[in-house]
Amino acid sequence: MHLLSLCKISKQALYKSNFSLVLQHAKHTKAFVTTPIYYVNAVPHIGHLYSTVLADTIRRNYVLHGKEVIMSTGTDEHGLKIQQAAEKNNMKPIDFCDKVSESFKSLCEAANIGYSSFERTTNKHHIKSVNELWNQLLKNGYLYKGKHEGWYAVSDEAFYANNQVQESVDEKTGEKIMVSIESGQRVEWTSEENYKFKLSAFGDRLLQWIDENPNAIVPNNRKNEVISWINQGLSDLSVSRLRSRLDWGIQVPNDPEHTIYVWLDALTNYLTATGYPWTTSSTLKDFFPPDVQIVGKDIVRFHAIYWPAFLMAAGLPLPKQILAHAHWTMGKQKMSKSRGNVADPFQVMKDYGVDPVRYYLVRDGGLADDGDYSEEMIHTRYKKDLAGQLGNLLNRATAASLLPSGNVPGKNQIIDPRDQMLHHQINETAENYNKAFEDREFNKAYAYIFDMVSQANKHFAENEPWKMAKQPQDKERLDTVLYYSLEACRVAGILLQPVMPTKMERLLTRLGVSNENRYFKDAIKMNSDERPLGKIEGVLFPRL
């Protein structure tokens, strides 16, 4: 077969493959992304920023595919820990919650998080949602009153079975204590009457859900943990506390002696964000269930076992994906104030800029394994990827000495052998990026983009356009070289919008790309039209 015919076939196949990917996304026009709601017993740390930025990047990536998206975040404000923290600070619980909740809102604002709703468990509409869910569980026969005896950790707001605790020694006092094996937090034996949820009835259904939806819990090591917990057997779950012991929480409907246990209260926030209980006029009902729920690995049990079980019991649809990320360490050690190895998220963004920090967190954050936080690595990513590769290519290829007309050159259909490798790479980057992103391999997704930009820089240097600019007979070749450099910048700019929205808005404006041409559909095909460059104030990634 003739080589030209082969090229045509492979090009058609590639377009067909790309188009099917777009269609796959277009089938579902709405998406719902959630962060956990953050516990207000302490101010935000780098882990909170990571969860929130990860959720916002996924949200913006759905927008990149032309979807209508909502995103919820917020604060978890009930429970014994809050009650105790407020007392310690000589404050009323609600005043204490107001103060700390505001700091989480400030974090969202500082990090350019585009949430649709900020849910607080002290809000009236949330209390209404919790009451509705409680009544549904009661009506469907999944709640009963019983005596609970067992180990309880105030720090975790969780009950633990005998096989989930072990003996330990308190470092400060030297006394023997019992702690949760999972979290390491101290547990106390407690005995009280409360309401219980028939969690034991859902083991097989939960396993079936996981089996039928392989991406329901990611990454795989978290999914395997959850399966292991279910296989060990699920005990019925305590879902209330006596108000005499805990009054900072939502009262059980029609039972003033009991407070709804914090996890049933907290998890309902994802329903609250969509206006539950829904009426015929509810505009957000169609967004439920969530497409992606971002959680830390320490709360995967609550989100991947309790939450879907509550939804099953209430006859509600289940989340499409629980994405449980690992933690950030520093110097391979868990971050803690006492060790002095904590990072202030506000200060880090001030020092390096919001978008570079967002990029570093999503690219280098740990999903399966903990990520080791390092400002040196933020500096390296900034200098090497952002300033050294992308910023450098944009500056070089838009230099007035090379583009005196101020226009991005167009391109004819013939591919010069000297450009074949870069042409192919630019054409494939969007699809490669998208597959890795959908597989939640974020480092790999961004590596595809920056490998393309690196190849474009190499192509630029090898072709020496600054020499061609001095020779009128080389004008056509010069335009071709600049075309490929600017196409690499355009495709990178489109695909990096979810993680670096502000910087990429500036880059695409500089390249003269109109707002309606900044979607995934525009990155899967090369643009051969000439267009005028836009303006940019200063350097995209200035020296730190």
Side-chain angles (χ1 to χ4, degrees):
M1 191 182 273
H2 195 274
L3 182 62
L4 188 63
S5 302
L6 274 172
C7 286
K8 277 182 181 172
I9 289 169
S10 64
K11 221 175 154 185
Q12 283 171 351
L14 179 67
Y15 181 74
K16 194 176 175 186
S17 167
N18 281 335
F19 190 64
S20 69
L21 215 111
V22 175
L23 279 179
Q24 180 188 320
H25 276 270
K27 281 177 194 170
H28 308 287
T29 58
K30 288 178 164 60
F32 178 22
V33 182
T34 72
T35 77
I37 51 170
Y38 303 115
Y39 212 52
V40 295
N41 63 323
V43 293
H45 54 64
I46 209 77
H48 297 127
L49 179 63
Y50 175 47
S51 295
T52 312
V53 165
L54 190 54
D56 188 58
T57 301
I58 291 171
R59 176 191 73 80
R60 290 176 188 270
N61 202 66
Y62 280 128
V63 174
L64 198 68
H65 287 274
K67 291 193 178 189
E68 189 185 349
V69 196
I70 62 168
M71 173 180 152
S72 71
T73 187
T75 44
D76 183 3
E77 303 180 14
H78 289 139
L80 205 52
K81 266 195 292 188
I82 307 299
Q83 198 170 294
Q84 291 172 349
E87 284 168 12
K88 197 175 172 184
N89 285 274
N90 295 316
M91 294 173 80
K92 288 179 183 175
I94 189 62
D95 294 337
F96 179 79
C97 292
D98 286 347
K99 184 183 173 187
V100 184
S101 182
E102 203 52 47
S103 66
F104 282 93
K105 269 191 178 172
S106 298
L107 184 71
C108 288
E109 195 177 326
N112 193 10
I113 306 299
Y115 61 80
S116 320
S117 67
F118 189 96
E119 298 304 332
R120 296 182 59 181
T121 54
T122 49
N123 284 343
K124 283 181 181 175
H125 65 280
H126 174 72
I127 295 167
K128 186 179 175 185
S129 293
V130 174
N131 285 336
E132 176 69 16
L133 183 62
W134 179 278
N135 289 332
Q136 281 299 320
L137 299 179
L138 191 64
K139 181 181 155 190
N140 294 348
Y142 290 105
L143 293 180
Y144 66 93
K145 225 175 199 180
K147 190 178 179 187
H148 182 85
E149 286 192 330
W151 299 104
Y152 182 74
V154 173
S155 293
D156 300 335
E157 300 279 11
F159 286 99
Y160 291 104
N162 285 328
N163 63 352
Q164 294 174 310
V165 300
Q166 65 185 14
E167 196 175 87
S168 183
V169 176
D170 189 311
E171 289 177 9
K172 291 177 183 173
T173 64
E175 68 170 314
K176 286 184 179 178
I177 57 169
M178 299 300 287
V179 298
S180 156
I181 294 170
E182 194 180 325
S183 68
Q185 296 296 335
R186 183 172 185 154
V187 296
E188 304 284 356
W189 185 262
T190 183
S191 174
E192 66 179 63
E193 179 195 66
N194 52 34
Y195 285 88
K196 300 188 109 176
F197 170 72
K198 292 180 183 176
L199 185 64
S200 56
F202 291 92
D204 290 343
R205 284 174 68 182
L206 286 165
L207 289 173
Q208 185 184 347
W209 167 60
I210 295 167
D211 185 53
E212 290 174 359
N213 301 277
N215 295 319
I217 303 163
V218 293
N220 265 331
N221 58 342
R222 303 281 168 257
K223 178 165 77 174
N224 293 336
E225 270 177 23
V226 170
I227 292 169
S228 166
W229 288 331
I230 297 169
N231 284 331
Q232 286 170 28
L234 297 175
S235 304
D236 287 354
L237 182 69
S238 198
V239 288
S240 79
R241 303 293 312 272
L242 286 170
R243 281 190 88 72
S244 57
R245 295 193 178 185
L246 170 67
D247 66 359
W248 183 242
I250 299 168
Q251 180 196 304
V252 167
N254 303 315
D255 192 337
E257 290 185 4
H258 288 265
T259 301
I260 295 176
Y261 172 61
V262 70
W263 279 104
L264 179 56
D265 169 4
L267 290 163
T268 307
N269 93 86
Y270 307 122
L271 282 161
T272 308
T274 63
Y276 182 84
W278 303 305
T279 63
T280 49
S281 60
S282 295
T283 54
L284 299 177
K285 181 187 175 182
D286 292 345
F287 285 93
F288 198 87
D291 292 75
V292 187
Q293 299 205 259
I294 306 297
V295 300
K297 65 177 182 179
D298 54 328
I299 53 173
V300 69
R301 177 195 298 273
F302 309 108
H303 284 82
I305 297 178
Y306 301 174
W307 172 230
F310 292 154
L311 291 171
M312 286 175 183
L316 294 167
L318 306 191
K320 293 171 193 169
Q321 185 173 81
I322 307 286
L323 174 53
H325 63 71
H327 290 164
W328 284 97
T329 56
M330 194 183 281
K332 303 291 181 187
Q333 288 190 311
K334 189 177 178 182
M335 289 191 190
S336 77
K337 281 182 184 174
S338 57
R339 282 201 189 99
N341 64 340
V342 291
D344 176 355
F346 293 97
Q347 190 59 47
V348 172
M349 288 187 284
K350 195 176 171 185
D351 292 344
Y352 295 94
V354 174
D355 279 5
V357 171
R358 284 175 60 112
Y359 169 67
Y360 163 72
L361 290 174
V362 179
R363 176 149 192 185
D364 293 305
L367 287 181
D369 303 305
D370 290 347
D372 202 48
Y373 178 84
S374 150
E375 286 201 18
E376 192 180 319
M377 192 61 194
I378 302 177
H379 199 282
T380 301
R381 286 278 179 223
Y382 188 100
K383 193 176 172 186
K384 186 183 167 194
D385 296 358
L386 305 183
Q389 291 289 354
L390 187 55
N392 184 41
L393 184 62
L394 180 71
N395 291 345
R396 295 162 99 187
T398 56
S401 57
L402 301 182
L403 280 176
S405 68
N407 285 343
V408 175
K411 168 83 174 65
N412 60 32
Q413 295 302 308
I414 299 162
I415 302 166
D416 189 302
R418 290 170 288 184
D419 308 321
Q420 194 125 24
M421 184 189 277
L422 182 57
H423 183 96
H424 180 69
Q425 199 164 353
I426 293 171
N427 248 328
E428 283 202 326
T429 294
E431 187 173 12
N432 288 336
Y433 157 84
N434 201 55
K435 185 181 185 309
F437 195 98
E438 290 295 310
D439 290 341
R440 307 310 177 210
E441 295 178 309
F442 301 111
N443 189 296
K444 190 175 175 183
Y446 295 120
Y448 280 124
I449 297 171
F450 283 94
D451 285 351
M452 172 195 68
V453 174
S454 174
Q455 185 63 38
N457 268 307
K458 187 179 172 207
H459 178 266
F460 185 95
E462 284 172 351
N463 281 277
E464 301 180 315
W466 54 92
K467 288 185 179 175
M468 288 188 256
K470 296 170 185 173
Q471 307 292 334
Q473 68 270 24
D474 291 337
K475 172 80 170 64
E476 191 178 332
R477 180 64 193 153
L478 170 65
D479 282 352
T480 301
V481 171
L482 294 177
Y483 164 79
Y484 278 110
S485 300
L486 295 171
E487 267 301 274
C489 286
R490 184 187 68 87
V491 170
I494 289 171
L495 299 177
L496 288 168
Q497 285 175 106
V499 75
M500 292 191 286
T502 307
K503 291 287 187 184
M504 293 309 104
E505 196 276 331
R506 288 183 66 203
L507 178 142
L508 293 169
T509 298
R510 174 63 172 146
L511 293 176
V513 180
S514 63
N515 289 337
E516 60 271 20
N517 294 322
R518 297 182 181 186
Y519 291 89
F520 183 77
K521 65 178 175 56
D522 304 299
I524 60 172
K525 59 183 188 293
M526 292 180 77
N527 184 352
S528 54
D529 300 333
E530 186 177 334
R531 65 181 182 276
L533 283 170
K535 289 187 177 172
I536 188 171
E537 295 296 323
V539 180
L540 190 63
F541 294 104
R543 284 191 176 188
L544 289 169

